[in-house]
Amino acid sequence: MIPQEIIRRKRDGEELDAADISSFIAALAAGQLSEGQIGAFAMAVWFKGMSREEIVALTLAMANSGDRLQWAGIDRPIADKHSTGGVGDNVSLMLAPIAAACGLAVPMISGRGLGHTGGTLDKLESIPGYAITPDAELFGKVVKEAGCAIIGQTGTLAPADGWLYAVRDVTATVDSIPLITASILSKKLAAGLETLVLDVKLGNGAFMADRRQAELLARSLVEVANGAGVKTSALITDMNEPLADCAGNAVEMRNCLDFLAGRKSGTRLETVVFAFAAEMLVKSGISASSEEANGMARRALSSGEAAESFGRMVSMLGGPADLVENSERYLARAPVEKEVPAARSGWLAACDARGIGISVIDLGGGRRHPADRIDHRVGFSGLLPLGTQVNAGDPIAIVHAADEAAAGKAAAALAVHYRIADDRPELAPVIAGRV
């Protein structure tokens, strides 16, 4: 196998056979390819695409590049959820313990920030001591005893995806349907799932801003996963504004704990969390209908069982045993907090969600290079939802920054990212479709 020949063929629009794809991915996993070769392959795929057969071959090659997990000792349905990435999207942090409290086992393999989107692992690393790459024995124990474990890829689980994921982040090749499909599903297949639900984001803060592209991605994911033996469905959700009222790492972790304490009712975030909880419970056979499943999920939250499951998971993975009760003791705050005033009176009519994500990176809350270190303290909180009426000077958000200069720059940028109109806007539903 000559890597540059495979890159050339894909660059020229040829269809690669499964053996060539398998050989290329095996070399990637073995560390035999340069970053330049990996980036060139990703760019060739971005421009030329892949057939369904190529995507299946790429997905299986990446899934088989390391260990495949087994769950013989767990008597619960093995289920998971994955999002294609957005801004202020911390659904997984609450959904996993809610699903666990309802009787599912959720071994969730998550990722870091990708492009302008936040990463679940980066948010979890704002918790002191939380181990995102436990060994297989501990991972299995946490899933069995806490009902869920949210971790990152270990060196032995779909390792080829880990390399490709990092390179995609810094080479503008994130928004490729074949690469997204293979990246997501290789980890899920390797995790030994029985069922999977997918959150495919649509809008200016998503990798798929066009509805047709979002539907193509959703169908690609669902068809490839079901073809590989994992019962899968997808919901398409709106990402034309941050999903939560915050964006960052520690700020989104605080949002998670507020949600688990019942303090985020009536929000778009709540709608999405319970929609996916219902989808997981029905798909796994725990509930007979979405209505029944929704009720189960809401009881798991209101009873405190979901919060207990989350706290148990954090403690077993090395975090503080009392994080749920005493989060302010552990989640670091940025030294500077600055309000962002509305430029004029009117209605918050639109926003550039992608721009908000980029502003988090500018604050130090994301990466431009795979080796960059993240400042988990920084970001935005108190983001008002679209459709809110404001007066000139009212705060529309709070910047959390490392210093005054960074805070001022971020506040100015955020003000530009929102459009204020004279009339109340008509907003798109947060659940935009189903595949």
Side-chain angles (χ1 to χ4, degrees), residues 100-116:
C102 292
L104 295 178
V106 187
M108 188 173 283
I109 311 296
S110 295
R112 296 193 180 280
L114 194 59
H116 66 283

Side-chain angles (χ1 to χ4, degrees), residues 125-191:
E125 282 192 325
S126 64
I127 302 173
Y130 191 98
I132 62 167
T133 53
D135 59 33
E137 182 180 355
L138 178 57
F139 184 32
K141 183 178 181 181
V142 177
V143 172
K144 187 173 184 177
E145 296 183 16
C148 62
I150 308 175
I151 69 164
Q153 286 172 263
T154 65
T156 60
L157 191 68
D161 176 63
W163 282 99
L164 186 54
Y165 192 98
V167 171
R168 286 169 59 215
D169 186 22
V170 295
T171 56
T173 54
V174 170
D175 52 344
S176 160
I177 287 177
L179 296 179
I180 293 172
T181 300
S183 177
I184 292 172
L185 296 182
S186 62
K187 294 189 287 285
K188 300 309 179 185
L189 294 179

Side-chain angles (χ1 to χ4, degrees), residues 201-224:
K201 297 296 184 185
L202 168 65
N204 67 53
F207 292 119
M208 299 298 160
D210 176 76
R211 186 181 185 93
R212 178 176 174 275
Q213 288 295 103
E215 290 174 345
L216 285 173
L217 174 58
R219 281 197 292 272
S220 175
L221 287 163
V222 169
E223 289 173 7
V224 172

Side-chain angles (χ1 to χ4, degrees), residues 177-264:
I177 287 177
L179 296 179
I180 293 172
T181 300
S183 177
I184 292 172
L185 296 182
S186 62
K187 294 189 287 285
K188 300 309 179 185
L189 294 179
L193 300 181
E194 296 170 349
T195 63
L196 174 65
V197 296
L198 296 155
D199 183 355
V200 177
K201 297 296 184 185
L202 168 65
N204 67 53
F207 292 119
M208 299 298 160
D210 176 76
R211 186 181 185 93
R212 178 176 174 275
Q213 288 295 103
E215 290 174 345
L216 285 173
L217 174 58
R219 281 197 292 272
S220 175
L221 287 163
V222 169
E223 289 173 7
V224 172
N226 278 303
V230 179
K231 296 178 183 177
T232 303
S233 61
L235 298 181
I236 298 173
T237 65
D238 179 71
M239 186 41 68
N240 284 301
E241 63 176 299
L243 183 57
D245 61 2
C246 57
N249 294 298
V251 290
E252 289 192 51
M253 187 53 61
R254 289 191 187 89
N255 178 85
C256 160
L257 296 172
D258 282 343
F259 190 104
L260 291 172
R263 293 191 287 269
K264 293 293 177 178

